[in-house]
Amino acid sequence: MGKFAITMMGFLLLCFCTEAVYMKYKDPKQPLNVRIRDLMNRMSLEEKIGQMTQIEKHVASPQIMKKYFIGSVLSGGGSVPFPKATAADWVKMVNAIQKGSLSTRLGIPMIYGIDAVHGHNNVYKATIFPHNVGLGVTRDPQLVKRIGAATALEVRATGIPYTFAPCIAVCRDPRWGRCYESYSEDHRIVQAMTEIIPGLQGDAPANSRKGVPFVAGKTKVAACAKHFVGDGGTTKGIDENNTVIDVNGLLNIHMPAYIDSILKGVSTIMVSYSSWNGKRMHANRDLITGFLKGKLKFRGFVISDWEAIDKITEPPRANYSYSVQAGVLAGLDMIMGQENLVEFLDDLAFQVRNNIIPMSRIDDAVKRILRVKFVMGLFENPLADLSLANQLGSQEHRELAREAVRKSLVLLKNGKVTSQPLLPLPKKVTKILVAGIHADNLGYQCGGWTISWQGIGGNDLTTGTTILNAVKNTVHPSTQVVYQDNPDVNFVKSNHFSYAIVVVGETPYAEMFGDSAKLTIAEPGPSIISNVCGVVKCVVVVISGRPVVIEPYLANIDALVAAWLPGSEGQGVADALFGDYGFTGKLARTWFKSVDQLPMNVGDPHYDPLFPFGFGLTTKPVKS
């Protein structure tokens, strides 16, 4: 009898222990809200605040993740495991950090984010797509959706499930250093291009609830619509400046693409550094909590920009406690870039414990973050593998990028008289000149946000095809291609070239480093145009993140092509120049005559452009 009693007690104890370890939040069969509620009920204040924190890779370690329950890690521009790291190197790094999160009491996985804004642009050998300024020209939402899907595969190839894209700013002034991150000055084009979101995340089910985030499994990534709201409308195009506009203007120009993004199930929204009529967006409770979360019913999480709460005060960090309070109370759910990690965690915890920030605000933030993590399947698949490694820089993705390049080109001039067009160029001639410092420079044609934050010049940054090599690939084998980055007049005169291709433009930049009051082509670009186009028939290809001053040189130029920042696949430029495909692109931005006209957008009373919004000459493909 005694033995039976002991056996029975053991059985009951086993049942009790089995019951004790069953946690509803770990059961994918449980409804989403049940999982969220169950996990929330188990979390301490420290664990909740940890979820609201996103730290940079260089701050992160498995020990830090475990000690502070950190919810998210990011790689900023140029932040890599080490130069030229492979997909396997990235996966190893991300998984090591993730294992720190999984070793915590509750095992809540962290979410790793990265700025994959024109392809997986931080990563060596990834496909670099044209920047948004070029994609807007295509007016092709399905193309952009396919780019989103390809980017998602390449991001997942490196073990990362979250990208800070797309930028859905409506750039109203090309003097802004981020104008190339905007699809257009016209909100309708920007709205159409939010189709990149279902490309990145997958198509939300038809019956899904409005505003609820959606990510369709391990080949897709969580997206981030940014920067809420009005970042493209700042005074004089100065980055992080003040957008002066009435509420109707804000709602009619800068807000519509957010409504589209939310309807498409975007997972996260990033707030802008800029202000609206003098009030910092990161402290704007009416717009973040009232409008975005309330009126638009956004159910994903709201993330700050990099150390943006510090900039709520002027100068930054003048009153850090106030910045934490103002940002969190405004509705920020995840705070990005905590270099002073312990100070932030202690400050936020102190304010909650002393009822300066109510617990309900913390719970709202954590609920949103967990919702995205559950929806993504992070709890079921927290660790990455190498099954998608072959997607990084795949030939299929490069062909897609090449297609995007040729569709994003705008032919602005073709022949000094229309009856004598220069383009398409003949492939079989004696000798042609390719000139300009941008012709054989992969870094220049990719622009900022490529391998490093500001972008870099040269051909060693990643793999791809320069425009010079594209020309060599395309012309007849008997055609001699001569390259001179900066030829003098005598060289051009003495060589009897059939025609010249001149590739000039801006050098790479990002964010405030790209703000420009002059918008000029970088020297020696203007000199090259003068030296070459004054002597021989020439097509000038402009590599730039926006319209630049071109009118003074226009009379000398036979043909003019805006190629924007085409990315790694320069072959797409040659495809159109030589007539394998026709030019089809139409300007999604107004091309000014003089910077004195700025800001100038289609519909303005003083509208007097060099090339109007929607302009673009077309050519027919040549049958070979």
Side-chain angles (χ1 to χ4, degrees), residues 135-199:
L135 296 181
V137 159
T138 70
R139 288 166 170 74
D140 188 343
Q142 289 308 306
L143 172 67
V144 171
K145 184 177 184 180
R146 286 156 58 209
I147 290 171
T151 301
L153 286 169
E154 298 209 13
V155 172
R156 281 287 194 169
T158 58
I160 297 171
Y162 178 27
T163 174
F164 308 123
C167 176
I168 53 172
V170 182
C171 175
R172 303 290 284 175
D173 193 324
R175 291 174 291 188
W176 186 34
R178 304 192 79 151
C179 203
Y180 65 75
E181 296 184 55
S182 168
Y183 294 107
S184 179
E185 71 190 44
D186 184 338
H187 68 84
R188 287 167 293 193
I189 290 177
V190 180
Q191 284 177 268
M193 295 302 166
T194 60
E195 198 60 21
I196 194 170
I197 292 167

Side-chain angles (χ1 to χ4, degrees), residues 76-139:
S79 176
V80 298
F82 46 82
K84 300 187 176 179
T86 64
D89 297 324
W90 279 91
V91 167
K92 184 179 176 184
M93 178 193 74
V94 174
N95 280 351
I97 296 169
Q98 184 67 285
K99 283 171 185 173
S101 296
L102 298 177
S103 69
T104 55
R105 183 176 74 92
L106 295 169
I108 304 171
M110 65 89 189
I111 181 172
Y112 201 107
I114 197 164
D115 284 284
V117 297
H118 63 138
H120 200 7
N121 46 261
N122 266 10
V123 177
Y124 183 60
K125 290 190 175 178
T127 309
I128 308 298
F129 292 93
H131 268 297
N132 291 353
V133 66
L135 296 181
V137 159
T138 70
R139 288 166 170 74

Side-chain angles (χ1 to χ4, degrees), residues 6 40 45 50 55 116 141 170 194 248 260 326 338 357 457 483 523 582:
I6 291 166
M40 293 276 293
L45 175 60
I55 57 175
V170 182
T194 60
N248 286 336
D260 288 70
Q338 295 315 308
I357 295 173
Y483 174 61
E523 282 293 350

Side-chain angles (χ1 to χ4, degrees), residues 38-353:
D38 180 61
L39 181 48
M40 293 276 293
N41 288 339
R42 299 172 190 274
M43 294 173 75
S44 66
L45 175 60
E46 285 71 24
E47 286 166 326
K48 288 177 178 178
I49 287 172
Q51 285 301 302
M52 295 174 66
T53 308
Q54 184 180 66
I55 57 175
E56 220 287 330
K57 173 189 71 68
H58 70 264
V59 178
S61 68
Q63 296 74 28
I64 291 286
M65 303 305 286
K66 184 175 183 179
K67 183 176 180 181
Y68 298 111
F69 316 105
I70 301 300
S72 185
V73 177
L74 81 149
S75 276
S79 176
V80 298
F82 46 82
K84 300 187 176 179
T86 64
D89 297 324
W90 279 91
V91 167
K92 184 179 176 184
M93 178 193 74
V94 174
N95 280 351
I97 296 169
Q98 184 67 285
K99 283 171 185 173
S101 296
L102 298 177
S103 69
T104 55
R105 183 176 74 92
L106 295 169
I108 304 171
M110 65 89 189
I111 181 172
Y112 201 107
I114 197 164
D115 284 284
V117 297
H118 63 138
H120 200 7
N121 46 261
N122 266 10
V123 177
Y124 183 60
K125 290 190 175 178
T127 309
I128 308 298
F129 292 93
H131 268 297
N132 291 353
V133 66
L135 296 181
V137 159
T138 70
R139 288 166 170 74
D140 188 343
Q142 289 308 306
L143 172 67
V144 171
K145 184 177 184 180
R146 286 156 58 209
I147 290 171
T151 301
L153 286 169
E154 298 209 13
V155 172
R156 281 287 194 169
T158 58
I160 297 171
Y162 178 27
T163 174
F164 308 123
C167 176
I168 53 172
V170 182
C171 175
R172 303 290 284 175
D173 193 324
R175 291 174 291 188
W176 186 34
R178 304 192 79 151
C179 203
Y180 65 75
E181 296 184 55
S182 168
Y183 294 107
S184 179
E185 71 190 44
D186 184 338
H187 68 84
R188 287 167 293 193
I189 290 177
V190 180
Q191 284 177 268
M193 295 302 166
T194 60
E195 198 60 21
I196 194 170
I197 292 167
L200 290 163
Q201 297 191 155
D203 288 297
N207 61 349
S208 62
R209 212 170 126 215
K210 178 189 171 187
V212 175
F214 176 78
V215 182
K218 292 198 286 184
T219 61
K220 298 295 182 180
V221 294
C224 179
K226 65 184 190 183
H227 308 85
F228 186 82
V229 60
D231 51 341
T234 58
T235 302
K236 296 183 179 177
I238 297 168
D239 193 35
E240 303 182 13
N241 200 14
N242 190 23
T243 298
V244 180
I245 194 170
D246 64 21
V247 68
N248 286 336
L250 189 79
L251 295 179
N252 292 333
I253 295 171
H254 298 285
M255 194 67 77
Y258 286 95
I259 297 168
D260 288 70
S261 300
I262 291 165
L263 288 172
K264 289 172 182 176
V266 74
S267 296
T268 72
I269 289 176
M270 188 185 294
V271 178
S272 176
Y273 283 120
S274 58
S275 303
W276 177 43
N277 294 336
K279 187 173 183 67
R280 286 275 177 203
M281 274 306 311
H282 276 79
N284 196 319
R285 190 176 188 280
D286 289 342
L287 282 174
I288 298 172
T289 297
F291 195 82
L292 181 60
K293 293 181 174 181
K295 190 171 178 63
L296 298 184
K297 295 183 168 47
F298 174 60
R299 294 288 177 268
F301 69 79
V302 175
I303 187 168
S304 81
D305 209 329
W306 172 265
E307 291 198 327
I309 61 166
D310 301 27
K311 299 182 182 183
I312 287 173
T313 59
E314 186 58 51
R317 291 188 70 85
N319 184 341
Y320 187 64
S321 289
Y322 168 75
S323 293
V324 171
Q325 176 189 339
V328 173
L329 285 178
L332 302 179
D333 302 316
M334 186 177 281
I335 313 297
M336 179 194 288
Q338 295 315 308
E339 298 286 296
N340 302 295
L341 174 60
V342 177
E343 181 187 6
F344 169 73
L345 295 172
D346 287 350
D347 208 307
L348 185 50
F350 174 85
Q351 295 197 45
V352 177
R353 288 198 177 100

Side-chain angles (χ1 to χ4, degrees), residues 502-524:
V502 177
V503 192
V504 294
E506 296 186 301
T507 52
Y509 55 81
E511 297 190 43
M512 71 290 295
F513 293 96
D515 288 355
S516 171
K518 295 181 178 175
L519 294 179
T520 50
I521 291 171
E523 282 293 350

Side-chain angles (χ1 to χ4, degrees), residues 527-601:
S527 308
I528 298 167
I529 293 172
S530 173
N531 291 347
V532 175
C533 298
V535 177
V536 64
K537 279 187 180 177
C538 76
V539 52
V540 172
V541 178
V542 179
I543 304 294
S544 69
R546 53 204 165 183
V548 289
V549 174
I550 198 75
E551 192 186 36
Y553 325 114
L554 197 55
N556 260 351
I557 295 170
D558 293 275
L560 177 64
V561 176
W564 314 108
L565 297 169
S568 61
E569 305 313 304
Q571 193 65 48
V573 176
D575 284 345
L577 288 179
F578 292 96
D580 290 329
Y581 294 83
F583 282 91
T584 57
K586 304 291 182 184
L587 286 178
R589 302 210 55 80
T590 296
W591 203 296
F592 58 85
K593 292 176 181 173
S594 157
V595 289
D596 299 334
Q597 297 173 295
L598 300 176
M600 177 177 64
N601 294 284

